[in-house]
Amino acid sequence: MSNIALKMDNITKVYPNGVVANHNIKFEVNYGEIHALSGENGAGKSTLMKILFGEEIPTEGKIYIDGQKVKLNSPSDALKLGIGMVHQHFMLVPSLTVLDNIILGEEPSKGGVFTDYKSAEKQVRALMEKYNMEMDPFAKVKDLSVGQKQKLEILKILLRGAKILILDEPTAVLTPQETKELFLELKLLRDEGYTVVFISHKLNEVRELCSRISVIRRGEYKGTFNLCDIDDDEISRLMVGRNVSTVIEKGKKTKGSPILEVKNLVVINEENVKKVDDISFKLNSNEIIGIAGVEGNGQSQLVETIVGQIPISSGIIKINNQEVSFKNIKQARNNKISYIPEDRMTIGMAGSLSITENIIADKIDDNKFVNKAGLLKLKEINEYGKTLVEKYEILCKNPEVSVDSLSGGNIQKVVLARELDNAPHLVIADQPTRGVDLGASEFIRKQLVNLSTNNCGILLISSDLNELLSISDKILVIADGTLGACIKDIKNTSDEDLGKYMLGIEKMSPQEIERNCYDA
């Protein structure tokens, strides 16, 4: 009997606009295997897995499950064949309980009319216990940690009988401790005979969890390899098409002057919940301060307050030693502040507009691009767009294509081109490399480091702890809206150390935090 659980043979996907997302891709995964699928953003990984989950129909190719040729026209077809997918962005109903989310659409009935909650609870608790994913079935999803939501998504597809699990960048927003928990649970599933496709570009995690890796580049299959037979440099070359440096040289920095000071900042949201609670720190020019924290602990509210998107409840924000309270992002820009938002598609970009139009969106009143009569200087605008596309290595047919036709990494480069080409004094970068591949991540980090050696201050919010540790000069850790730590000794700090502060397991004294935050 064959050991192959799933086989995708010569899969090709051509979209109506002519974009070839997959070209003759071959992909095989064995029973009881955790198999890595890697490649750059836009390489075709997600399209391939959407085809396997029935969300996309291939233009050509065949799919075999348990040796039988199958046709997948919808996710329900995939689930019937034992294929389940956990998307990078969770598909949960926040206002419902854990139990309601797990059984949604699969509710056991009593008398054919009412949901049999007693039976459902018993079934769900047994599932949680079996796979070491226990949590309160009656907790509201909105109150769960990110790690618990990840478990909940896995429980949902296990309840529906999935034996082949597709996990899309599952560790993107997890702490090291939560990642370890997830890996233990996935190994338990593997040992029970489940098959797991692990989509990731984090090679250290791939090596810890997987035995084999398949690589896709620009829609084409580059091979499947035993991880014991290939090194990280070769995998990176296969993914990106060139050598990728994982170490960013910081270079020499001179002591800078204060560019941003936050003092006793409090932010209370519309529901009267204190999201930022008495936070104080100072950022100098020629310095990168990283901010770590489990998602939802106040990082977003902190940066949105600084750039004027939400109001200060109390406390002080100073830019260049002058107290400010911006009412909108334009006022922040007028003070030489650039902002790379967490949600690049909703806030950072207008997807239907061209690359050039997005790049000049904040410069529309600049004399370089508008004449005295108020008309746009189209020649200068088009030249500027071409220059920045080349400078920021944006892969596209031309600068006039719409932004939503680009890969995630190239969309982020468009944001960078707009924000960093203004000679800013302060850059606030919120998750600048989230969901971005190795090559684009390397490029973005180099841009931030280069700015930090040229009289610019960088405030970097990131869920990638390796990123924070590799390019930050200091790291602030936020837990429950307060500072739990300010770390200066980056070289002797591990991601596990950061994780303990992020989860509130450890906390520095207020005196140590203040000393580290304000010492140069």
Side-chain angles (χ1 to χ4, degrees), residues 302-309 326 328-330 332 337 339 428:
L302 172 64
V303 299
E304 287 170 5
T305 304
I306 294 170
V307 299
Q309 290 192 311
F326 300 132
N328 52 56
I329 187 68
K330 184 171 178 60
I337 297 172
Y339 176 43
I428 297 175

Side-chain angles (χ1 to χ4, degrees), residues 474 486 488 509-520:
K474 288 181 186 174
C486 179
K488 289 180 66 180
S509 69
Q511 295 79 13
E512 188 176 5
I513 290 173
E514 183 175 7
R515 183 169 61 250
N516 288 349
C517 278
Y518 284 89
D519 282 355

Side-chain angles (χ1 to χ4, degrees), residues 220-262:
E220 296 189 348
Y221 173 69
K222 294 299 175 182
T224 295
F225 309 90
N226 293 318
L227 281 159
C228 59
D229 297 332
I230 188 168
D231 62 25
D232 288 357
D233 288 342
E234 180 59 25
I235 295 172
S236 297
R237 279 193 292 272
L238 287 165
M239 287 169 60
V240 181
R242 60 178 175 82
N243 291 329
V244 177
S245 174
T246 56
V247 178
I248 308 296
E249 295 294 333
K250 291 184 183 179
K252 291 185 178 180
K253 294 185 181 183
T254 58
K255 184 178 178 180
S257 55
I259 186 73
L260 167 68
E261 185 173 3
V262 173

Side-chain angles (χ1 to χ4, degrees), residues 28-44:
E28 292 182 2
V29 185
N30 295 328
Y31 292 103
E33 178 187 15
I34 304 177
H35 190 110
L37 178 62
S38 294
E40 291 189 282
N41 271 60

